[in-house]
């Protein structure tokens, strides 16, 4: 049995905060949008009419502990 060793050294690349900040803001907005649809998209705050979104995320709503009924 032979073993192979890897002698190459990979140096980590530093990502400046300036380059990372737009992606963090974008990810945060997507997370807030997902939180809105799972937690508050129903009744008076609904964007889409009917109960389609509510029924679609209903199990996730209960899993995350949002009250709905
Ligand atoms: Zn429910």
């Amino acid at each position: 049995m032979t073993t192979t060793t890897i002698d190459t050294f990979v140096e980590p690349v530093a990502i400046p905060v300036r380059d990372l900040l737009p992606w963090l803001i974008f990810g945060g907005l997507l997370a807030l949008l997902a939180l809105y649809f799972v937690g508050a998209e129903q009744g008076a705050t609904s964007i889409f009419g009917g109960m389609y979104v509510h029924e679609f995320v209903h199990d996730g709503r209960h899993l995350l502990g949002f009250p709905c009924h």
Side-chain angles (χ1 to χ4, degrees):
M1 179 176 212
T2 61
T3 57
T4 305
T5 58
I6 299 173
D7 293 334
T8 59
F9 178 72
V10 179
E11 189 167 330
V13 177
I15 301 174
V17 174
R18 178 181 294 163
D19 293 343
L20 204 58
L21 193 60
W23 293 103
L24 291 175
I25 292 171
F26 179 67
L29 287 175
L30 285 181
L32 283 176
L33 189 65
L35 184 66
Y36 167 76
F37 276 111
V38 171
E41 168 63 27
Q42 70 177 16
T45 61
S46 68
I47 294 174
F48 301 103
M51 297 291 286
Y52 300 115
V53 175
H54 177 87
E55 294 299 329
F56 185 72
V57 298
H58 191 248
D59 291 340
R61 178 181 296 238
H62 280 274
L63 180 70
L64 295 173
F66 286 99
C68 74
H69 55 87

